[in-house]
């Protein structure tokens, strides 16, 4: 119910701007938020929203799916069946032998070998060989097959009609080119992963051709490799034989030239391929080194002798005769020294010992002198030998210089001889190997699995065509839906109003057919009546002190349901016991009097222009058949509605009416293009915008809201009218309301707006399920028509 305890403080004419949020409402928009919380609004990809689009455009998607199925079947019928046969071929790379640079080497088993084999299988030469082996150039059904894709294939397959091709119009060369081209186009060769197997696949409209050509390609590849190997071996043997004869002649000639030149130049070569002069120089160098060493050793001894150290030389110390003399001399000297302590030197025995010592000393000195003289002689001989060897070596070196000049050409001739002899030996060895290899015909490939006759075509495949067609048509439907959504700039669901306009959604009014509107309004148990009661409840909680005392109901454009909303809200608030006055503020195209079934001869315009008599003043406010509901119609349509509504008298009237009634509802004209609604919005405590579904554009609604706020209006929220609540897409995706719930309290559900007891209907029509089905069908058709109109 309305808050009866609040103070009746209604702004006067000049205080329209003062009717702000601070008096009745909270927040920036003068009221507490009702409905969604924008701060919690999810952003980004929303699967539920995607599901909503799928449900919303389900009929378009269903038609596209049906079209895709039909297209897939038609495309399949337009394609000619083709059969495919497969032959497995093993490439024996490890055991293969090839000739490379006239040298026998093993071919490495890498991917290049398999790729080479694959390209050879797809080569033109091999295709030509297959055409020749199978005689394909003479077979008309192979040369001129049925088109792979053509509308005429539908009739060929349906009635078995086929045209007989003719080959007389083509020359043999042209037929061969056509056959080769067909093989190259329909042949596929793939390498089986991690194996040395190649899959040879051929596709044709004739299953026998498919298997025969696949097998023949593999066999022709093997025969081609064998022929190439044999031909290569024969060519190699012939080439090597020719080379052997040529190299042999060159070797003989080079040897003769070498011998003749050596004879003429007097060059003698030893067994180790060195000249005699070179050998002699080597010998002289060795002997000279030895003589120099001997001379140096003898010179050191002579130097010791010259220094008086001859007795300490090795030859002296090593002489046995001198060693005996030294021992005996030492013995006599020892005796003499012993006896010298007893006998005097002049004693005969002592003199005899002295004489013996002197004699031995003389003999020792003579021996040392003899040895030193021999060492001097040896030193002199070493010097002479060294000089002779140097002289001889100098002479040999002069001869070597002369020999080297002659040896340049000799070396050239000898190198040529060696080269020719090496080539000759290699060619002889290779000729023997080629002779052995030519007798061996090792296969480089082997057929592992022959192609069998296919029993069913591999193409066309209905499942694949259907999948492709469905994918294409689904993508097309997604594009169409995207374009429709881009072009559709109206409001289709309450979320868009909340998001685009920033208004609280106070009520959602279901769509009712114009023929059933009056019945739905009068029926208090209909869905539309329940929706208006929900809107009334929202208005009661739209402010801190309840519903506004004066409420302006307007819309962006005409025919959005604002008059019906004013009419129904007045009844619903009056049902709570409130005294309600409904003022028809539309002085241009009034409609409220029609809803109440009243005449419009006198009303608000007459009151503003003072054209009403005092005794008729009370009759302007008309009581209705609805309790507590009073109506002030628009009256005579004036030429200047905006001037009348903006006059101080209008503000005074609204103020006085607010004191007499608990709630004043003003049915205002549309906002866009007119100034009436913004003027009236300044006089009312609250303004309710009615926004129709799939009718008013978003830009128009934004412009209207902007004008209201610029005029100082307190827009408490919005009500979405003509919303198809019984449509499956909205009901399923948003769950704002369930139209079945509005049928509560009735023993027998009925279609909205129809006053019918169903007595004359069949039994199945009386069932709730059937009625719901009929309602959905009618609502779906109506929604489709409305959407088509809005898009157009």
């Amino acid at each position: 119910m309305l808050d009866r305890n609040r103070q009746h403080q209604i702004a006067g004419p000049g205080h329209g701007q003062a009717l702000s949020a601070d008096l009745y409402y909270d927040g920036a928009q003068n009221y507490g938020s009702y409905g969604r919380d924008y701060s919690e609004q999810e952003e980004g990809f929303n699967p539920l929203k995607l599901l909503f689009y799928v449900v919303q455009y389900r009929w378009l998607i269903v038609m596209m799916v049906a079209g895709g199925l039909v297209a897939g079947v038609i495309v399949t019928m337009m394609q000619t069946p083709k059969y495919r046969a497969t032959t497995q071929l093993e490439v024996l790379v490890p055991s293969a032998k090839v000739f490379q640079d006239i040298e026998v080497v093993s071919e490495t088993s890498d991917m290049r070998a398999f790729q080479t084999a694959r390209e050879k299988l797809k080569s033109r030469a091999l295709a030509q060989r297959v055409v020749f082996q199978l005689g394909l150039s003479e077979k008309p059904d192979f040369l001129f097959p049925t088109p792979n894709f053509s509308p005429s294939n539908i009739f060929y397959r349906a009635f078995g009609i086929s045209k007989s091709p003719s080959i007389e119009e083509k020359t043999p060369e042209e037929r061969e080119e056509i056959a080769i081209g067909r093989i190259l186009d329909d042949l596929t060769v793939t390498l089986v992963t991690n194996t040395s197997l190649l899959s040879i696949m051929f596709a044709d409209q004739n299953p026998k051709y498919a298997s025969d050509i696949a097998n023949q390609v593999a066999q022709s590849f093997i025969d081609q490799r064998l022929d190439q190997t044999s031909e290569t071996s024969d060519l190699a043997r012939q080439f090597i034989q020719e080379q052997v004869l040529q190299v042999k002649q060159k070797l003989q000639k080079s040897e003769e030239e070498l011998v003749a030149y050596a004879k003429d130049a007097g060059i003698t070569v030893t067994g180790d391929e060195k000249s005699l002069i070179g050998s002699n120089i080597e010998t002289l160098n060795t002997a000279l080194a030895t003589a120099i060493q001997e001379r140096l050793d003898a010179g050191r001894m002579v130097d010791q002798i010259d220094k008086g150290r001859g007795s300490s030389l090795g030859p002296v110390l090593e002489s046995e005769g001198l060693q005996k003399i030294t021992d005996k001399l030492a013995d006599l000297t020892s005796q003499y020294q012993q006896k010298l302590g007893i006998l005097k030197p002049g004693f005969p025995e002592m003199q005899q010992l002295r004489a013996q010592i002197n004699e031995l000393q003389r003999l020792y000195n003579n021996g040392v002198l003899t040895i030193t003289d021999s060492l001097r002689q040896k030193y002199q001989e070493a010097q002479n030998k060294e000089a002779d060897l140097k002289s001889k070596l100098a002479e040999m070196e002069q001869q070597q210089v002369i020999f080297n000049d002659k040896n340049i050409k000799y070396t050239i001739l000898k190198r040529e001889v060696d080269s020719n002899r090496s080539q000759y030996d290699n060619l002889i060895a290779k000729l023997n190997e080629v002779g052995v290899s030519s007798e061996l015909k090792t296969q480089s490939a082997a057929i592992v699995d022959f192609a069998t006759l296919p029993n069913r075509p591999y193409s066309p495949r209905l499942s694949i065509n259907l999948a492709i067609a469905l994918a294409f048509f689904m993508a097309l439907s997604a594009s169409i839906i995207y374009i429709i959504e881009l072009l559709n700039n109206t409001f289709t669901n309450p979320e868009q109003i909340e998001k685009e306009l920033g208004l609280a959604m106070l009520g959602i009014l279901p769509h009712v057919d114009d023929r059933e509107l009056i019945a739905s309004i009068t029926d208090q148990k209909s869905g539309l009546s329940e929706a208006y009661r929900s809107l009334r409840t929202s208005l009661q909680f739209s402010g801190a002190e309840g519903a506004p005392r004066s409420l302006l109901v307007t819309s962006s454009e005409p025919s959005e349901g604002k008059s019906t909303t004013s009419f129904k809200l007045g009844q619903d608030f009056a049902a709570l016991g409130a005294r309600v006055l409904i003022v028809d503020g539309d002085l241009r195209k009034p409609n409220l009097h029609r809803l109440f079934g009243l005449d419009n001869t006198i009303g608000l315009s007459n009151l503003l222009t003072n054209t009403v008599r005092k005794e008729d003043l009370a009759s302007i406010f008309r009581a209705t058949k609805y309790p507590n509901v009073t109506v002030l119609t628009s009256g005579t349509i004036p030429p200047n509605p905006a001037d009348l509504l903006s006059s101080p008298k209008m503000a005074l009237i609204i103020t006085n009416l607010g004191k007499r009634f608990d709630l004043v509802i003003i049915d205002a004209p549309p906002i866009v293009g007119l100034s009436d609604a913004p003027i009236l919005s300044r006089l009312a405590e609250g303004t309710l915008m009615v926004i129709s579904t799939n009718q008013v554009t978003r830009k128009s609604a934004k412009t209207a809201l902007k004008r209201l706020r610029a005029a100082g209006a307190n827009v408490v929220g919005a009500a979405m009218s003509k919303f198809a609540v019984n449509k499956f897409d909205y009901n399923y995706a948003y769950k704002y309301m369930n139209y079945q719930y509005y049928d509560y309290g009735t023993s027998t559900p009925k279609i909205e707006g129809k006053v019918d007891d169903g007595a004359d209907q069949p039994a199945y029509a009386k069932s709730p399920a059937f009625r719901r089905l009929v309602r959905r069908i009618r609502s779906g058709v109506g929604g489709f028509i409305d959407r088509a109109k809005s898009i157009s």
Side-chain angles (χ1 to χ4, degrees):
M1 292 183 62
L2 293 174
D3 188 357
R4 303 293 184 179
N5 298 322
R6 66 180 181 177
Q7 297 295 327
H8 296 279
Q9 297 177 357
I10 308 298
H15 298 81
Q17 185 67 29
L19 294 176
S20 62
D22 299 336
L23 185 57
Y24 293 105
Y25 307 104
D26 299 329
Q29 297 299 332
N30 304 330
Y31 54 88
S33 62
Y34 183 89
R36 311 183 47 165
D37 184 2
Y38 301 107
S39 62
E40 298 178 357
Q41 190 172 4
E42 296 182 359
E43 298 294 338
F45 176 73
N46 188 356
L48 292 179
K49 189 174 182 180
L50 180 63
L51 179 61
F52 163 71
Y53 285 121
V54 173
V55 176
Q56 181 181 1
Y57 294 96
R58 59 190 180 278
W59 296 115
L60 173 63
I61 295 175
V62 169
M63 288 188 293
M64 284 296 179
V65 170
L69 295 176
V70 174
V73 173
I74 293 177
V75 170
T76 302
M77 295 296 294
M78 293 172 64
Q79 290 180 284
T80 303
K82 298 186 72 174
Y83 298 83
R84 182 169 61 188
T86 303
T87 301
Q88 295 283 347
L89 182 68
E90 181 182 7
V91 180
L92 306 175
V93 176
S95 59
K97 296 287 185 178
V98 297
F99 283 95
Q100 183 178 348
D101 296 332
I102 317 302
E103 183 178 356
V104 180
V105 296
S106 296
E107 185 178 2
T108 57
S109 57
D110 56 5
M111 287 300 298
R112 291 176 297 177
F114 300 116
Q115 294 295 338
T116 301
R118 176 177 176 272
E119 294 302 322
K120 286 185 177 180
L121 285 166
K122 297 173 63 177
S123 64
R124 180 181 178 81
L126 187 64
Q128 187 177 14
R129 188 170 186 143
V130 172
V131 171
F132 176 77
Q133 292 290 338
L134 298 179
L136 299 177
S137 60
E138 303 299 328
K139 297 181 178 180
D141 54 344
F142 179 78
L143 295 175
F144 309 105
T146 305
N148 292 331
F149 184 82
S150 174
S152 60
N153 288 339
I154 299 178
F155 300 97
Y156 295 157
R157 297 178 64 178
F159 303 104
I161 302 175
S162 61
K163 59 180 181 179
S164 56
S166 176
I167 63 174
E168 286 77 8
E169 300 176 357
K170 303 290 183 181
T171 63
E173 292 78 9
E174 292 176 342
R175 295 198 299 269
E176 182 179 2
E177 289 296 325
I178 294 174
I180 293 174
R182 282 218 56 205
I183 291 178
L184 294 178
D185 292 339
D186 297 329
L187 181 65
T188 304
V189 182
T190 58
L191 175 64
V192 181
T193 307
N194 298 327
T195 66
S196 58
L197 299 179
L198 291 174
S199 292
I200 304 172
M201 294 176 288
F202 189 79
D204 194 83
Q205 300 173 6
N206 191 328
K208 182 170 176 56
Y209 284 151
S211 59
D212 291 347
I213 292 176
N215 291 328
Q216 187 59 46
V217 168
Q219 189 61 48
S220 297
F221 175 75
I222 295 174
D223 297 340
Q224 186 184 51
R225 291 291 294 267
L226 291 176
D227 294 344
Q228 290 176 352
T229 302
S230 177
E231 182 180 358
T232 302
S233 299
D234 295 339
L235 292 175
R237 183 171 62 253
Q238 181 180 358
F239 174 73
I240 293 175
Q241 287 176 349
E242 295 176 356
Q243 292 296 316
V244 166
L245 293 177
Q246 296 177 6
V247 173
K248 184 178 180 181
Q249 295 175 359
K250 291 173 62 177
L251 177 61
Q252 291 177 354
K253 182 179 179 181
S254 60
E255 287 179 341
E256 291 175 356
E257 291 179 354
L258 178 65
V259 172
Y261 179 76
K263 183 177 180 181
D264 295 340
I267 299 175
T268 303
V269 181
T270 60
D272 55 357
E273 299 184 356
K274 293 182 180 180
S275 65
L276 185 60
I277 297 175
S279 299
N280 292 336
I281 290 176
E282 267 188 40
T283 304
L284 286 175
N285 282 326
T286 304
L288 179 59
T290 304
I292 293 174
Q293 186 62 41
E294 292 177 354
R295 191 259 307 167
L296 292 176
D297 293 340
R300 284 192 294 272
M301 291 185 180
V302 172
D303 185 59
Q304 292 292 330
I305 295 171
D306 293 339
K307 293 181 180 180
R309 301 174 183 173
S311 58
S312 60
L313 297 174
V316 175
L317 297 177
E318 293 173 357
S319 176
E320 294 182 358
L322 293 179
Q323 187 65 33
K324 291 179 180 181
I325 294 174
T326 302
D327 295 340
K328 193 171 181 179
L329 182 59
D331 183 56
L332 291 176
T333 302
S334 177
Q335 292 179 10
Y336 181 78
Q337 292 296 333
Q338 290 177 359
K339 291 181 179 182
L340 185 59
I342 302 173
L343 300 177
K344 294 183 178 181
F347 194 74
E349 184 177 357
M350 295 296 286
Q351 292 181 352
Q352 184 179 358
L353 285 173
R354 170 54 63 183
Q356 290 179 356
I357 290 172
N358 293 333
E359 184 60 22
L360 289 175
Q361 187 67 41
R362 185 184 65 77
L363 292 174
Y364 177 79
N365 293 334
N366 291 335
V368 171
L369 182 60
T370 300
I371 292 173
T372 55
D373 289 341
S374 65
L375 291 176
R376 291 181 183 275
Q377 184 64 32
K378 187 177 181 181
Y379 173 70
Q380 185 64 38
E381 291 176 356
Q383 287 180 333
N384 295 335
K385 183 179 180 180
E386 180 182 359
D388 293 340
L389 288 174
K390 287 183 178 180
S391 175
K392 188 65 176 176
L393 181 61
E395 181 180 352
M396 295 301 295
E397 288 177 350
Q398 292 180 356
Q399 294 180 5
Q400 181 67 27
V401 172
I402 299 173
F403 174 78
N404 288 339
D405 294 338
K406 298 179 180 180
N407 193 44
I408 293 175
K409 186 175 181 180
Y410 178 83
T411 302
I412 296 174
L413 295 174
K414 188 174 182 300
R415 188 181 299 114
E416 185 176 359
V417 171
D418 294 340
S419 176
N420 292 334
R421 183 178 291 109
S422 176
Q423 292 182 19
Y424 181 76
D425 294 340
N426 291 334
L427 288 173
I428 292 297
K430 287 177 176 56
L431 184 61
N432 296 332
E433 292 178 0
V434 171
V436 175
S437 300
S438 62
E439 301 299 329
L440 299 176
K441 292 186 178 181
T442 304
Q443 290 186 351
S444 59
I447 298 177
V448 176
D449 198 4
F450 286 92
T452 59
L453 190 67
N455 53 8
R456 59 182 179 180
Y458 85 98
S459 174
R461 295 181 63 180
L462 181 59
S463 59
I464 295 179
N465 289 340
L466 289 178
I468 295 174
L470 284 176
F472 174 76
F473 276 83
M474 290 300 291
L476 181 61
S477 63
S479 302
I480 294 174
I481 293 173
Y482 180 74
I483 294 174
I484 291 175
E485 286 298 318
L486 286 180
L487 297 178
N488 183 16
N489 60 348
T490 60
F491 295 98
T492 59
N493 58 75
E495 278 188 350
Q496 294 174 343
I497 295 178
E498 294 177 344
K499 182 179 180 181
E500 297 288 341
L501 303 182
L503 293 178
M505 184 53 56
L506 301 182
I508 300 174
L509 309 177
H511 175 72
V512 178
D513 189 83
D514 294 340
R515 295 169 296 180
E516 302 175 357
L517 180 61
I518 302 299
S520 297
I521 292 177
T522 57
D523 185 4
Q524 295 301 319
K525 295 181 180 180
S526 66
L528 183 61
S529 297
E530 181 61 28
Y532 275 112
R533 284 193 290 271
S534 177
L535 175 60
R536 176 196 65 187
T537 304
S538 300
L539 288 172
Q540 287 181 296
F541 292 96
S542 62
E545 298 182 4
R549 293 295 298 269
S550 57
L551 178 67
L552 179 73
V553 181
T554 184
S555 62
S556 303
E557 298 177 357
S559 302
E560 293 193 57
K562 56 181 179 53
S563 296
T564 304
T565 301
S566 302
F567 171 76
K568 191 62 179 172
L569 282 178
Q571 296 180 28
D572 292 337
F573 275 106
L576 298 178
R579 293 172 301 165
V580 179
L581 173 64
I582 303 177
V583 179
D584 193 348
D586 191 350
L587 302 183
R588 301 174 187 270
K589 292 182 179 180
N591 187 45
L592 201 59
H593 63 282
R594 296 188 181 93
L595 296 178
F596 284 97
L598 303 173
D599 62 85
N600 195 26
T601 57
I602 189 172
L604 178 62
S605 61
N606 303 99
L607 188 61
L608 292 173
T609 56
N610 296 320
T611 59
V612 60
R613 295 177 299 178
K614 292 184 179 181
E615 56 270 18
D616 296 332
L617 188 61
S619 61
I620 293 180
F621 300 92
R622 303 183 186 183
T624 64
K625 62 181 179 178
Y626 304 102
N628 297 327
V629 176
T630 305
V631 177
L632 176 60
T633 60
S634 62
T636 305
I637 299 178
N640 54 346
D643 296 339
L644 294 179
L645 295 176
S646 60
S647 63
K649 191 171 184 179
M650 181 65 187
L652 183 60
I653 291 173
I654 296 299
T655 302
N656 293 329
L657 292 176
K659 297 177 181 179
R660 291 178 55 188
F661 294 91
D662 296 324
L663 176 63
V664 177
I665 299 177
I666 304 173
D667 180 21
I671 304 171
V672 177
L674 302 175
S675 61
D676 301 5
I679 293 172
L680 291 174
S681 66
R682 296 173 56 89
L683 306 178
E685 291 186 9
T687 301
L688 174 67
M689 279 193 68
V690 178
I691 301 173
S692 59
T693 306
N694 291 325
Q695 178 178 342
V696 63
T697 62
R698 301 179 189 181
K699 185 176 181 180
S700 177
K702 288 182 180 179
T703 303
L705 181 61
K706 185 177 180 181
R707 290 191 62 191
L708 288 177
R709 287 176 173 167
N714 176 30
V715 183
V716 296
M720 191 171 192
S721 63
K722 302 180 182 181
F723 187 77
V725 296
N726 58 343
K727 289 183 64 177
F728 175 74
D729 46 7
Y730 294 139
N731 185 36
Y732 176 80
Y734 291 97
K735 295 294 182 182
Y736 282 108
M737 55 180 65
N738 191 335
Y739 73 95
Q740 295 177 357
Y741 176 75
Y742 296 137
D743 293 335
Y744 77 98
T746 58
S747 59
T748 303
K750 58 182 179 179
I751 301 177
E752 267 186 39
K754 288 288 185 180
V755 184
D756 190 1
D757 57 359
D760 297 332
Q761 296 181 358
Y764 64 85
K766 297 179 181 179
S767 64
F770 177 79
R771 295 187 177 225
R772 286 195 296 269
L773 178 61
V774 172
R775 186 184 294 109
R776 289 188 179 185
I777 293 175
R778 293 182 61 185
S779 178
V781 173
F784 178 78
I785 295 175
D786 292 341
R787 190 178 297 110
K789 290 180 179 179
S790 64
I791 292 175
S792 62

